Amino acid sequence: MFEILHFTVFQNALFAAILVSIACGIIGTLIMINRLFSMAGGITHGAFGGIGIAFYFSLPILLSTSIFTLILAFIVAFLVKHYEHRSDSIIAVIWAFGMAIGIILIDLSPSYNTDLMAYLFGNILAVENQDLFLMGLVDGVVIALMFLFYRQFEAISFDNEFAKVRGINTSFFHYLLIALMAFCIVISIRLVGLILVMALLSIPSFIAENFSKKLGFIMILASFLSMIFCLGGLLLSYYFDLSSGACIIIVACFGFLINLGVKIICKRQGRK
């Protein structure tokens, strides 16, 4: 087993799994508490437009996708905030727009190649040094902001009206969370692909919430669980020569089912 650690490709994959898990654990928890999964889903699939732009104009894919996803995220956040009663329709339109733009530009792209599949379904073994740099940068920003503004994020997550009364600029922190969500989605693409990102953001935080109601502890536990799922999926994909992104999510879903089964058993035991 340990001989695979000598390969640079596997070392990069290992570091990527740890770095992305930290970001997904923290941001996924905030997304869950603020009930932003539908918005996150729309932004995730809309990010495909950034990949299409990168292919068509021969730009660095992660840079192009990051900028496009950030702009798209702010547009979605603004429209949803001002047309809350039609938020589901807005998210659906943005989702479709991003996917359509991406497909059209890739069809027109002279540089189209099979690497596209790695961005749709993930390929953790394709992680390069520049990817690790971006992941580390996003992690550093996320952790720093959580240390600086933990109380503010906690306040807007559990009681937005009370946060306003306390003088917290709720709009600023809402948009800041949306920006962090966008970057978290982008760095997760290499691991599990656009199609499966939502599972990596939601499953660890869902399980972690069962063990505590404290925001900080949920973030830490969700990050730890995400690491377990990523590393487990990585080993599974390596030994059975399977898609890494799908293996990571299968392991996460298995963890979800175990957690759900334990909850059901404990609930029935409590009734007796």
Side-chain angles (χ1 to χ4, degrees):
M1 174 181 174
F2 292 103
E3 67 274 7
I4 59 178
L5 294 175
H6 295 294
F7 297 112
T8 303
V9 170
F10 196 85
Q11 291 172 3
N12 286 349
L14 191 63
F15 286 129
I18 294 171
L19 291 172
V20 170
S21 294
I22 293 170
C24 284
I26 295 172
I27 302 303
T29 299
L30 289 173
I31 291 173
M32 177 185 67
I33 299 298
N34 287 275
R35 299 180 182 179
L36 295 174
F37 277 123
S38 60
M39 184 186 294
I43 294 169
T44 298
H45 289 81
F48 190 67
I51 295 175
I53 291 171
F55 271 98
Y56 185 77
F57 293 103
S58 299
L59 299 172
I61 289 184
L62 285 185
L63 176 63
S64 172
T65 308
S66 296
I67 295 172
F68 183 84
T69 306
L70 183 62
I71 294 171
L72 199 69
F74 281 145
I75 292 172
V76 173
F78 176 81
L79 292 175
V80 168
K81 197 173 182 66
H82 289 80
Y83 302 96
E84 190 174 349
H85 61 296
R86 288 289 179 265
S87 60
D88 54 344
S89 300
I90 292 168
I91 291 168
V93 170
I94 295 295
W95 178 324
F97 170 77
M99 292 293 289
I101 288 293
I103 293 169
I104 290 171
L105 290 177
I106 288 171
D107 284 342
L108 296 173
S109 174
S111 61
Y112 170 76
N113 57 58
T114 54
D115 286 346
L116 176 64
M117 298 302 290
Y119 294 97
L120 287 175
F121 300 102
N123 185 3
I124 194 172
L125 296 176
V127 170
E128 300 174 350
N129 289 333
Q130 58 265 34
D131 300 324
L132 291 175
F133 174 79
L134 179 61
M135 293 171 185
L137 181 63
V138 171
D139 268 15
V141 171
V142 168
I143 292 171
L145 288 174
M146 288 306 115
F147 270 111
L148 290 172
F149 303 114
Y150 175 79
R151 294 300 178 192
Q152 288 86 340
F153 280 114
E154 184 179 41
I156 67 168
S157 297
F158 290 105
D159 195 334
N160 197 58
E161 293 303 318
F162 176 72
K164 287 181 180 178
V165 172
R166 292 291 301 271
I168 296 173
N169 189 338
T170 55
S171 293
F172 170 77
F173 285 101
H174 174 72
Y175 283 109
L176 181 58
L177 174 56
I178 298 302
L180 294 176
M181 180 200 304
F183 285 116
C184 183
I185 288 169
V186 171
I187 66 171
S188 301
I189 291 173
R190 274 296 197 187
L191 265 68
V192 294
L194 285 173
I195 306 299
L196 302 172
V197 165
M198 288 308 300
L200 193 60
L201 285 170
S202 59
I203 294 175
S205 57
F206 176 85
I207 296 174
E209 189 187 23
N210 295 314
F211 296 92
S212 177
K213 297 303 176 185
K214 292 184 178 180
L215 184 63
F217 185 80
I218 296 173
M219 289 177 175
I220 294 171
L221 184 55
S223 296
F224 181 70
L225 288 170
S226 185
M227 286 182 199
I228 293 175
F229 298 151
C230 287
L231 295 177
L234 176 58
L235 290 173
L236 188 66
S237 68
Y238 178 83
Y239 284 111
F240 293 96
D241 193 24
L242 300 170
S243 172
S244 58
C247 286
I248 290 170
I249 299 307
I250 282 294
V251 172
C253 289
F254 186 67
F256 173 84
L257 290 175
I258 291 175
N259 173 73
L260 196 61
V262 171
K263 281 181 67 176
I264 292 172
I265 292 171
C266 290
K267 196 171 183 180
R268 288 182 176 178
Q269 290 285 343
R271 288 177 179 174
K272 292 180 180 180

